[in-house]
Amino acid sequence: MGDENTTEEYGRPRRPNPETVSYLRGLPLEETLAAEQARTYIQYFQAEKKGYDKSKEHNDDPPEYPVLVSATHAALSSIYKELASLSCEENSSTQIETLVRIACRYSNAAKRVVLAGMSGYWVFLSSHRFGSHVAQTVLRCVVASCEADLDVLGCDIEGGEGEGKMIIEESYGSHLQSVNGGDEVPSLNSLLLQTLEELKPFAADLAVHVCGTHVLRTALCILAGVEFVDAYAPASGAKNTQTNAIVTEWDNGPLALTRRGKFKDKRKKKKKKPAGGGGDDVRGSSRQEVTVMKPFNMTSDLRSEEFRNESNSLL
């Protein structure tokens, strides 16, 4: 499976449209700014729901729906049919990962759209140099609980227009309906299980593939309901000492902004002296990395007894 001839056995997406590749390169995607815009929007509705400042006249209009989140949904919608193709292109794959992280962080509907768009190509993507990074990111992000589901935010407040719901319908309305018969795209539960079923027959090959092994590990962690994390990573709910913002699981660990599989610097590096040798002071040396297991904070759609039973049978 390690050579190119073997990968031809799997469903291979067609080459991406050069115009779409150029379009993706030009997208001004900034995850930190998207998170700031979303939190401002979320805080307004949280205050409204709690009846904040009801004793005073409160006629403030709600803040604008997060521009970068809206732009992310529009971008994903426009490249829906080329998701798998673009995931195999060096520059586009990094942009796809960013789109997925932003969209899945604030929308459960986007998770279904992403999984549906990559259906049928999981084995090829898992064994591809760039596609495997996208596959890992997608699998990890679709199972994670949203920081806030903007699709429904504001719908339960008197006078709430449900702007997020309208944006989702405008962006993904056509994609959430299947071509045949107009039936709705399956639930997140069903789509994820279909994805894992797609990988299962090739588990033995993926286990010894330089790229596939990482995707297989992520899939197995999902089935087991646990993940490996840095023991020293900031806990969710803690405050960032620099920005004073609340740290969520989307800000650190497997869901963090840093892209996995960064390209290595090919320049020669100087060899480091062994720690503790020659009486050197090693107090300033970097800490030892420690990995521990913790339960997944899964989205509510995947906490059902049905999904757990299906997961156990797949394992």
Side-chain angles (χ1 to χ4, degrees):
M1 184 173 170
D3 56 31
E4 292 183 2
N5 292 331
T6 311
T7 59
E8 295 294 337
E9 299 173 11
Y10 313 124
R12 178 173 188 161
R14 64 181 64 182
R15 294 189 181 279
N17 187 327
E19 292 182 2
T20 311
V21 173
S22 299
Y23 163 71
L24 272 182
R25 285 178 181 171
L27 289 177
L29 300 176
E30 176 52 59
E31 290 182 65
T32 304
L33 182 56
E36 290 175 1
Q37 292 176 354
R39 282 171 185 159
T40 300
Y41 188 75
I42 293 164
Q43 287 167 4
Y44 173 88
F45 284 101
Q46 286 176 338
E48 286 290 308
K49 193 170 183 179
K50 291 178 181 178
Y52 177 77
D53 238 6
K54 269 193 173 179
S55 59
K56 300 179 182 179
E57 204 169 307
H58 188 58
N59 296 319
D60 292 342
D61 293 327
E64 183 181 14
Y65 187 88
V67 175
L68 283 177
V69 177
S70 178
T72 295
H73 292 318
L76 271 177
S77 175
S78 66
I79 63 172
Y80 172 74
K81 293 184 178 179
E82 293 185 79
L83 268 176
S85 301
L86 294 164
S87 297
C88 298
E89 204 275 332
E90 181 175 354
N91 294 306
S92 298
S93 63
T94 60
Q95 293 287 75
I96 294 292
E97 286 187 81
T98 303
L99 288 172
V100 168
R101 282 194 294 266
I102 295 175
C104 293
R105 185 171 182 170
Y106 301 110
S107 171
N108 279 317
K111 297 176 181 181
R112 294 166 59 204
V113 169
V114 172
L115 282 177
M118 298 177 73
S119 177
Y121 301 109
W122 281 100
V123 178
F124 183 85
L125 291 174
S126 298
S127 57
H128 191 274
R129 179 183 176 187
F130 307 117
S132 60
H133 293 307
V134 178
Q136 273 186 277
T137 298
V138 169
L139 285 175
R140 185 58 189 86
C141 289
V142 297
V143 302
S145 180
C146 290
E147 184 172 314
D149 189 359
L150 301 189
D151 303 354
V152 297
L153 193 65
C155 293
D156 56 347
I157 296 176
E158 186 177 352
E161 298 179 359
E163 189 175 4
K165 184 178 180 180
M166 292 188 290
I167 287 176
I168 289 301
E169 289 177 352
E170 182 180 338
S171 299
Y172 304 130
S174 60
H175 305 313
L176 289 172
Q177 299 293 325
S178 66
V179 177
N180 299 320
D183 296 326
E184 191 174 350
V185 163
S187 64
L188 179 61
N189 184 329
S190 299
L191 284 167
L192 182 58
L193 288 171
Q194 287 173 19
T195 297
L196 299 176
E197 286 279 9
E198 192 175 322
L199 291 171
K200 183 179 177 180
F202 302 92
D205 291 337
L206 294 174
V208 293
H209 191 279
V210 66
C211 299
T213 183
H214 300 293
V215 180
L216 182 62
R217 181 187 62 205
T218 302
L220 290 173
C221 283
I222 291 172
L223 291 173
V226 297
E227 65 178 335
F228 295 96
V229 298
D230 182 357
Y232 297 102
S236 295
K239 281 194 174 182
N240 186 314
T241 54
Q242 295 181 342
T243 64
N244 208 35
I246 299 295
V247 176
T248 72
E249 67 170 349
W250 290 91
D251 299 309
N252 66 83
L255 291 172
L257 178 143
T258 305
R259 176 177 178 262
R260 288 170 290 189
K262 291 189 297 183
F263 299 112
K264 295 180 180 179
D265 190 345
K266 294 182 180 179
R267 292 178 296 180
K268 290 185 178 180
K269 297 180 180 179
K270 293 182 180 180
K271 292 184 178 179
K272 294 181 179 179
K273 293 182 179 180
D280 291 339
D281 184 3
V282 296
R283 287 176 295 178
S285 62
S286 59
R287 61 169 172 78
Q288 182 180 2
E289 292 186 5
V290 179
T291 303
V292 296
M293 283 193 304
K294 81 174 186 67
F296 263 126
N297 179 23
M298 287 190 174
T299 183
S300 58
D301 292 357
L302 303 178
R303 295 178 198 159
S304 66
E305 190 66 26
E306 178 188 357
F307 180 76
R308 183 48 45 207
N309 291 337
E310 291 284 350
S311 299
N312 290 336
S313 66
L314 274 173
L315 273 174

